[in-house]
């Protein structure tokens, strides 16, 4: 009599493919108004699942499905890391995707709220401070006023402004394009002559 025995050979788990974005948006600028999520994905032959982790927990958190919740206020770099489970797994080393979140410009205070009389030359609108490498655009509502003013590291001015108007300022980093709306506004009031 001949005995038979069935042997199942399970192939080793493969190395994950490059990490890609399945859904959501990967932020490039610091979040300032709450969190956002990005779902990452990868594949690996003979895998039974994946292990996701972060090199910098200050960036947020990532779950077992690759859903990354970005932390409000985080800026800097983080490595998103994944290994695959399976026979002879988890795979080593981890596959890594490096993400850099750029800081937004510092918020300074818009200055110049005051009143002047008809026939006057107007009032100077400015900022209490500025940063080099950042451009500052004065706005009247949604309309830009003049050209952007480059930051100097000190207070800056947009010159004299006329009419009864509320002015705001948007700062844009010249390299990263990250923006910040400056704090407050300048309310210029034109009073008629008595």
């Amino acid at each position: 009599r001949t005995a038979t025995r069935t042997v199942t050979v399970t192939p080793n788990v493969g190395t994950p493919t490059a990490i890609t974005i399945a859904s959501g948006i990967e932020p490039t600028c610091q979040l300032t108004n709450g969190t956002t999520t990005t779902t990452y994905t990868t594949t690996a032959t003979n895998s039974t699942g994946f292990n996701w982790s972060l090199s910098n927990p200050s960036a947020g958190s990532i779950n077992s499905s690759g859903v990354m919740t970005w932390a409000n206020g985080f800026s800097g770099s983080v490595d998103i890391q994944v290994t695959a489970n399976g026979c002879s797994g988890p795979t080593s080393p981890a596959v890594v995707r490096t993400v850099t979140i750029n800081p937004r410009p510092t918020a300074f205070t818009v200055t110049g709220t005051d009143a002047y009389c008809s026939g006057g030359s107007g009032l100077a609108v400015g900022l209490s401070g500025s940063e080099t490498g950042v451009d500052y655009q004065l706005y009247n509502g949604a309309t830009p006023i003049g050209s952007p003013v480059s930051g100097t590291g000190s207070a800056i001015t947009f010159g004299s402004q006329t009419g009864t108007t509320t002015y705001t300022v948007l700062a844009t980093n010249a390299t990263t394009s990250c923006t910040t709306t400056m704090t407050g506004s300048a309310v210029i009031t034109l009073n008629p002559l008595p």
Side-chain angles (χ1 to χ4, degrees), residues 9 38 54 75 77 84-85 99 135 162 184:
V9 177
T38 309
L54 302 175
S75 64
S77 293
N85 293 323
V99 180
D135 295 328
T162 59

Side-chain angles (χ1 to χ4, degrees), residues 89-187:
T91 53
S92 180
V95 171
V96 174
R97 179 186 178 102
T98 301
V99 180
T100 299
I101 307 297
N102 297 298
R104 292 184 182 273
T106 301
F108 297 101
T109 301
V110 182
T111 60
T113 294
D114 208 340
Y116 73 103
C117 292
S118 179
S121 59
L123 294 167
V125 175
L127 273 180
S128 62
S130 67
E131 295 175 290
T132 57
V134 176
D135 295 328
Y136 298 87
Q137 178 66 60
L138 185 68
Y139 280 88
N140 172 6
T143 303
I145 305 299
S147 300
V149 175
S150 298
T152 62
S154 302
I156 59 173
T157 181
F158 298 96
S160 293
Q161 306 300 323
T162 59
T164 297
T165 308
T166 299
Y167 294 97
T168 58
V169 177
L170 181 68
T172 303
N173 185 292
T175 301
T176 66
S177 298
C178 294
T179 62
T180 299
T181 299
M182 298 293 96
T183 302
S185 59
V187 181

Side-chain angles (χ1 to χ4, degrees), residues 7 11 18 30 44 50 53 61 86 96 114 151 160 175 193:
V7 177
Q30 183 180 29
F50 297 96
S53 62
S61 60
V96 174
D114 208 340
S160 293
T175 301
L193 293 173

Side-chain angles (χ1 to χ4, degrees), residues 5-6 8 14 51-52 58 67 127 143 161 173 176:
R5 183 176 183 180
T6 301
T8 301
N51 305 303
W52 294 90
S58 298
V67 179
L127 273 180
T143 303
Q161 306 300 323
N173 185 292
T176 66

Side-chain angles (χ1 to χ4, degrees), residues 33-106:
N33 294 308
T35 61
T36 193
T37 58
T38 309
T39 301
Y40 293 99
T41 187
T42 186
T43 59
T45 55
N46 309 311
S47 172
T48 59
F50 297 96
N51 305 303
W52 294 90
S53 62
L54 302 175
S55 64
N56 185 352
S58 298
S61 60
I62 192 165
N63 68 17
S64 59
S65 299
V67 179
M68 173 73 185
T69 301
W70 294 97
N72 188 64
F74 171 77
S75 64
S77 293
V78 60
D79 289 340
I80 298 170
Q81 304 161 147
V82 66
T83 59
N85 293 323
C87 189
S88 298
T91 53
S92 180
V95 171
V96 174
R97 179 186 178 102
T98 301
V99 180
T100 299
I101 307 297
N102 297 298
R104 292 184 182 273
T106 301

